[in-house]
Amino acid sequence: MDVRELVGQARQGRPRAVARLISLVENAVENAENAAQAAHAGVFARGDRAASAVASRALREAMAELATGGARPHPARVIGLTGSPGVGKSTSTGMLIRAFRRRGSTVGVLAVDPSSPFTGGALLGDRVRMQDHATDPGVFIRSMSSRGHLGGLAWATPQALRVLEAAGCDVILVETVGVGQAEVEIARLADTTVVILAPGMGDGVQAAKAGILEVADVLVVNKADRDGVQTTVRELRNMTGLVETPWRPPIVTTVASKGEGADDLLAALDKHQAYLEESGEARRRRLARARDEIEAIALAQLRSRFAVLHGDRLDTLAERLLGAETDPYAAADDLIAALR
């Protein structure tokens, strides 16, 4: 099947075509990364270069078909769910799938799982936790390995998002890997960022210093049937009250494993969506997302070209720097000039 036909079937919402397109995206990105690493190591084989080129051409053709096939009258709502490991992100995602499906919305899910730094493999356990929705034709779930990418997402997530939107998903839920205080890349990708916490995950000082809370559009305290939930809510309320912003994140308590709090969470998401549209923030965020996507692709291409320059030129410049014949900025200028 050629790429144009594949995109056409994906636009019709055919799950197999959507899955193959996302695989195309992931494989092209992985081939490009492998080729760059091989070049850096000085073992850039002709076969690696050819495989990378073929995958890159297919990906370019697919993205051209997806991007220029006509804008949707109503773009998909992109909702990011993030938080520390063990707070119930996957269970909360499953709860939101049910809530949106009751409305009749079609839902796409990109669930990013961490990959092993040694083997590169990933368990993709989120797919196991969402088996209840596996037979629903109105739900498409795709697990993605982070493949070493930091920030809580995978390299291919932005392009996979474009595939799901073209496939007609009304809502796209993006679940990050278990993240820490500084991994906030989801805020640059989603229209609404939901930060999920659980009681007993830290005291008020820990909550106040956690940079991840600053990107929250909606705060969720999950596992609210545990002790300490009111203390957690109070600490979050005190923290969010310290800064005056046009939008103050609402705090919702849930027990996602039992479906409790789903309506409250949905109401908070709808309220934020209305704020985005009325304030013009929705367009600003989507514009920033498009800008970031272009910049990331441009930087990846430059990194790939730069990797080929590693070797003799870089070794020569390093020798000159050690011999006090040049300075690091001049050496860098020399290396960059070769890209032109």
Side-chain angles (χ1 to χ4, degrees):
M1 185 181 301
D2 63 26
V3 171
R4 182 170 296 181
E5 184 179 353
L6 196 62
V7 172
Q9 292 195 8
R11 287 190 180 279
Q12 297 172 17
R14 297 188 182 183
R16 183 170 294 183
V18 175
R20 289 183 66 182
L21 269 180
I22 295 179
S23 294
L24 171 65
V25 169
E26 289 188 294
N27 292 337
V29 172
E30 183 178 28
N31 283 341
E33 287 295 311
N34 290 343
Q37 291 173 8
H40 180 73
V43 292
F44 196 47
R46 184 173 299 175
D48 296 330
R49 190 190 302 272
S52 178
V54 170
S56 177
R57 282 197 299 271
L59 177 60
R60 281 174 172 270
E61 185 178 351
M63 287 299 111
E65 288 288 329
L66 289 170
T68 59
R72 291 178 52 178
H74 301 289
R77 292 176 63 179
V78 181
I79 300 172
L81 296 97
T82 189
S84 302
V87 297
K89 295 188 297 299
S90 297
T91 312
S92 297
T93 300
M95 182 178 72
L96 278 178
I97 293 173
R98 286 189 291 272
F100 279 114
R101 288 299 290 144
R102 285 195 296 267
R103 288 184 170 184
S105 301
T106 54
V107 181
V109 180
L110 295 175
V112 185
D113 276 310
S115 56
S116 167
F118 302 103
T119 66
L123 178 61
L124 302 182
D126 292 328
R127 186 179 301 177
V128 177
R129 294 192 180 101
M130 299 180 196
Q131 281 300 304
D132 293 345
H133 310 283
T135 58
D136 187 342
V139 179
F140 183 91
I141 300 173
R142 179 63 177 245
S143 294
M144 307 179 74
S145 168
S146 64
R147 305 192 186 196
H149 180 56
L150 301 178
L153 299 176
W155 278 112
T157 303
Q159 282 73 46
L161 199 68
R162 190 176 291 280
V163 173
L164 290 182
E165 185 167 27
C169 291
D170 300 312
V171 178
I172 302 175
L173 305 175
V174 183
E175 180 194 337
T176 73
V177 302
V179 300
Q181 295 172 339
E183 293 152 314
V184 294
E185 190 171 322
I186 185 62
R188 302 178 67 86
L189 187 70
D191 298 321
T192 301
T193 301
V194 179
V195 175
I196 304 174
L197 304 98
M201 299 296 287
D203 58 15
V205 174
Q206 185 71 14
K209 75 176 184 178
I212 191 173
L213 298 185
E214 297 176 7
V215 304
D217 297 308
V218 176
L219 288 163
V220 173
V221 181
N222 189 34
K223 304 183 180 181
D225 51 350
R226 292 184 176 182
D227 293 336
V229 62
Q230 292 305 320
T231 300
T232 303
V233 170
R234 184 171 59 251
E235 291 170 348
L236 290 174
R237 187 171 291 119
N238 290 338
M239 191 201 72
T240 56
L242 295 175
V243 181
E244 288 294 331
T245 58
W247 173 261
R248 180 172 296 181
I251 302 169
V252 181
T253 58
T254 64
V255 184
S257 60
K258 301 178 182 178
E260 297 176 7
D263 291 340
D264 292 338
L265 177 53
L266 211 56
L269 292 173
D270 289 342
K271 187 176 180 181
H272 184 253
Q273 182 68 20
Y275 160 76
L276 292 176
E277 299 296 343
E278 293 169 3
S279 65
E281 181 69 9
R283 175 170 173 75
R284 190 198 68 79
R285 291 192 180 194
R286 288 166 189 157
L287 189 63
R289 188 161 71 214
R291 187 169 56 241
D292 289 343
E293 185 178 5
I294 295 170
E295 182 181 0
I297 292 171
L299 290 175
Q301 292 177 355
L302 287 173
R303 186 169 61 249
S304 178
R305 291 179 59 190
F306 179 81
V308 179
L309 295 177
H310 278 255
D312 293 342
R313 180 183 293 270
L314 187 58
D315 289 340
T316 299
L317 290 171
E319 289 288 349
R320 292 185 62 202
L321 180 60
L322 285 179
E325 299 174 23
T326 187
D327 64 86
Y329 284 92
D333 289 342
D334 188 300
L335 201 57
I336 291 172
L339 289 174
R340 302 192 182 111

